[in-house]
Amino acid sequence: MAIGIFVFIAALVGIDQLFKYLIITYLAPIGSVPLVEGIFHLTYVENFGAAGGILQGKQLFLIIVTSVVIIGLLILLILKKIPGQLLPWMLGLVVAGGIGNLLDRIFRGFVIDYLDFCWIHYPVFNFADCCVVIGVFFIAFYILRSERKQGKKADSSTGDTDGI
């Protein structure tokens, strides 16, 4: 399973970098293309910060923090310290997204964003961001579900009947 997760991570990073190459090549010269007018556009944005443009101009800080987090998660994956069958794959999503944006920061000095849901005035984002958000969402769901199961086990083992 461990090899599969690393292939998964590499594939997602490859997809992210391919999208960004296509965006630079075809979208950067024109700026924006509406796919659904007024709702969803492909818009070329150079993000010199983090999510939503926070921490503008703090590239070195973002590179260091992202690198430390990615290295930590990779170590956990390599040592197989992540429980369950699904959780390591969700961590793989987070790692892949982090690596995709880290490569941009290191080699371009900014992150390329292009997915623009303009009807909700949400900051423009990219495929790597999607990987991180989806991974974190499922990790949080897994943790909350596990804690709920642990709470039910504790209640049944102590004979606690609150809520019955």
Side-chain angles (χ1 to χ4, degrees), residues 73-100:
L73 294 176
L74 286 171
I75 289 169
L76 291 174
L77 286 170
I78 290 166
L79 297 176
K80 299 180 181 178
K81 297 290 185 182
I82 307 301
Q85 302 246 338
L86 185 61
L87 195 57
W89 294 94
M90 295 304 102
L91 230 55
L93 275 171
V94 174
V95 169
I99 291 171

Side-chain angles (χ1 to χ4, degrees), residues 5-160:
I5 291 172
F6 294 108
V7 170
F8 175 67
I9 290 169
L12 292 174
V13 171
I15 291 167
D16 173 67
Q17 293 301 300
L18 174 62
F19 285 163
K20 289 173 180 172
Y21 168 79
L22 294 171
I23 293 300
I24 289 169
T25 303
Y26 299 105
L27 187 62
I30 58 175
S32 187
V33 172
L35 297 182
V36 180
E37 185 65 49
I39 296 175
F40 179 67
H41 296 191
L42 292 179
T43 303
Y44 178 80
V45 173
E46 295 176 355
N47 184 351
F48 290 87
I54 62 171
L55 299 172
Q56 287 290 319
K58 306 286 188 207
Q59 291 301 333
L60 182 60
F61 173 76
L62 292 169
I63 288 169
I64 291 169
V65 169
T66 304
S67 297
V68 168
V69 170
I70 289 170
I71 290 167
L73 294 176
L74 286 171
I75 289 169
L76 291 174
L77 286 170
I78 290 166
L79 297 176
K80 299 180 181 178
K81 297 290 185 182
I82 307 301
Q85 302 246 338
L86 185 61
L87 195 57
W89 294 94
M90 295 304 102
L91 230 55
L93 275 171
V94 174
V95 169
I99 291 171
N101 284 339
L102 180 63
L103 290 172
D104 278 8
R105 285 193 179 95
I106 291 171
F107 295 110
R108 293 188 178 97
F110 54 86
V111 172
I112 296 169
D113 290 330
Y114 49 88
L115 300 172
D116 184 5
F117 285 94
C118 44
W119 68 281
I120 58 174
H121 304 292
Y122 192 78
V124 180
F125 57 99
N126 62 43
F127 178 77
D129 298 334
C130 294
C131 290
V132 171
V133 169
I134 292 167
V136 167
F137 174 81
F138 280 106
I139 291 167
F141 179 77
Y142 175 87
I143 291 169
L144 291 172
R145 192 170 143 239
S146 295
E147 286 182 3
R148 189 171 184 200
K149 283 183 179 180
Q150 291 294 338
K152 285 184 178 181
K153 284 182 185 176
D155 287 348
S156 65
S157 68
T158 61
D160 187 0

